[in-house]
Amino acid sequence: MKSLFFSTGGIHLATMAGMLGGVLDHVSNAEHFGGISAGALLASLCAVYGPIDAYDLMVKHSHESFLTPNYSHFNSILSFLFKDSLLNSEHLTTIVKELVHDKPLRATLHIGYTNKETMQYESVTFEKGTTPKDLYKHIVASMSIPFILPAVDIDGKKFMDGGVFHSIPIEAINHLVSNYANKETPLELMILASKPFDYALHKNKSHHTYFKTLYDAYEYMQGYECISIHNDKQLLDEILKNAGLSEKHVNYHMYSISQKDAEKWNKAIPMDSYGHIKREHIDELVNLGKQIIKDIQLKNLLKF
């Protein structure tokens, strides 16, 4: 049985879309897809349409930026004073709804997000063959980065980015591996990630701004992401170790963006610029994702 999971991503939604394009042949008949944050969108598209060139599909449904500022001028200042987030997700919600609403799933889908009221991580699973109610809300909720996008109301509860707790949908992965009972056929587990497991922050030059507190909050979020990445790696190692002890054969593959490239693009397009991303930058990120897959596959080939 094959499975594919996506990490958090931010701007690297585009990079992971490029990576997906490079592994389509390997996941064409996958039965499980899962993701957190930007990865939730990619996982959902795969579960609804089957593994496809997700970037091309998204472009066909969008002629503008996925995210837009709340105000045309002085957005940071006015949003800080009068809004819950720097950007609004109305256009993103419209696009995602158009892509997935009232469509049956071709594979089982796992999405992770954070309950804003209880600050607890929650993982939801939608089974193959079902048509999930308001799936688009679950996707946008998982993508709603604190301070950047507003939380999403689902059945009277507010949910936001799953990346607050995890970098990969580790609970869904654990559930899948733990409940995989077929010891004759290997479980194929592939993860596409926006950062390596050893990702670390390098101190940036301090911002001289009236809203330094907000930038400090961004930095703390990134710092916590380093912690969650490290913790998820420890949990994943334990999951795979326990699988081996139970005589379960798990073929694990991970493709990730390098520390260097992650830093380069985080600097080029900080979170508060997500509403003004240029198309050429997105194309560069997609091509970066494709090249990552090619380079790793070539390296593995040369080993033999």
Side-chain angles (χ1 to χ4, degrees):
M1 182 174 71
K2 295 182 179 180
S3 61
L4 176 61
F5 292 87
F6 299 88
S7 78
T8 57
I11 183 60
H12 290 296
L13 165 67
T15 315
M16 291 193 295
M19 295 165 75
L20 172 60
V23 299
L24 290 180
D25 291 343
H26 301 280
V27 297
S28 59
N29 57 346
E31 297 179 38
H32 287 261
F33 296 97
I36 292 179
S37 196
L41 175 57
L42 293 174
S44 299
L45 293 177
C46 288
V48 169
Y49 295 94
I52 40 112
D53 191 327
Y55 178 57
D56 282 351
L57 180 65
M58 288 186 287
V59 168
K60 288 177 182 177
H61 286 76
S62 174
H63 303 288
E64 304 173 43
S65 172
F66 273 22
L67 306 176
T68 54
N70 292 309
Y71 302 95
S72 57
H73 300 287
F74 308 111
N75 180 66
S76 295
I77 296 173
L78 295 176
S79 294
F80 184 79
L81 294 173
F82 303 113
K83 297 289 184 179
D84 294 332
S85 59
L86 276 177
L87 306 175
N88 75 68
S89 55
E90 292 177 3
H91 190 221
L92 173 65
T93 301
T94 299
I95 295 170
V96 175
K97 185 175 182 178
E98 184 178 347
L99 285 166
V100 305
H101 191 53
D102 285 339
K103 290 182 171 61
L105 299 181
R106 299 185 182 186
T108 299
L109 173 63
H110 310 272
I111 294 176
Y113 40 42
T114 301
N115 185 317
K116 185 179 180 182
E117 297 166 3
T118 64
M119 286 307 294
Q120 295 292 309
Y121 178 83
E122 297 186 16
S123 182
V124 60
T125 296
F126 302 103
E127 298 294 339
K128 176 182 178 180
T130 63
T131 302
K133 175 188 175 184
D134 294 337
L135 175 58
Y136 71 96
K137 290 185 179 180
H138 295 271
I139 298 169
V140 176
S142 187
M143 298 176 71
S144 296
I145 305 169
F147 305 117
I148 304 299
L149 293 173
V152 176
D153 186 285
I154 301 175
D155 296 330
K157 297 179 181 179
K158 295 283 188 181
F159 292 93
M160 61 184 186
D161 193 358
V164 172
F165 281 93
H166 293 294
S167 62
I168 57 175
I170 193 68
E171 292 189 7
I173 292 172
N174 182 40
H175 180 79
L176 180 62
V177 174
S178 299
N179 288 278
Y180 187 65
N182 188 342
K183 296 180 181 179
E184 302 298 323
T185 304
L187 169 63
E188 302 287 341
L189 172 63
M190 182 180 289
I191 298 174
L192 303 183
S194 62
K195 292 181 178 68
F197 275 135
D198 59 354
Y199 181 77
L201 277 186
H202 293 148
K203 186 67 177 177
N204 294 321
K205 190 174 181 180
S206 184
H207 290 277
H208 296 287
T209 170
Y210 289 113
F211 296 98
K212 183 178 183 301
T213 301
L214 189 57
Y215 282 100
D216 285 345
Y218 293 161
E219 192 167 282
Y220 293 145
M221 284 172 57
Q222 290 179 316
Y224 188 78
E225 186 178 23
C226 293
I227 298 172
S228 69
I229 290 171
H230 173 78
N231 290 343
D232 286 345
K233 174 63 165 63
Q234 302 288 7
L235 290 169
L236 181 61
D237 287 345
E238 194 67 23
I239 290 168
L240 296 176
K241 177 183 175 181
N242 290 337
L245 292 174
S246 302
E247 299 182 352
K248 296 177 181 178
H249 188 183
V250 180
N251 290 335
Y252 163 62
H253 306 277
M254 177 173 173
Y255 299 93
S256 71
I257 300 165
S258 68
Q259 169 91 26
K260 180 180 177 180
D261 283 326
E263 286 184 341
K264 170 188 171 182
W265 284 102
N266 286 344
K267 182 178 180 181
I269 308 175
M271 284 185 180
D272 55 333
S273 297
Y274 279 12
H276 304 280
I277 301 173
K278 297 178 181 179
R279 175 63 182 272
E280 55 263 35
H281 285 161
I282 295 175
D283 290 339
E284 282 187 65
L285 289 167
V286 171
N287 290 329
L288 170 63
K290 292 178 179 179
Q291 191 61 49
I292 288 170
I293 301 298
K294 289 180 181 178
D295 290 345
I296 294 176
Q297 289 177 342
L298 177 59
K299 184 184 295 186
N300 291 337
L301 183 63
L302 291 175
K303 288 181 181 179
F304 297 95

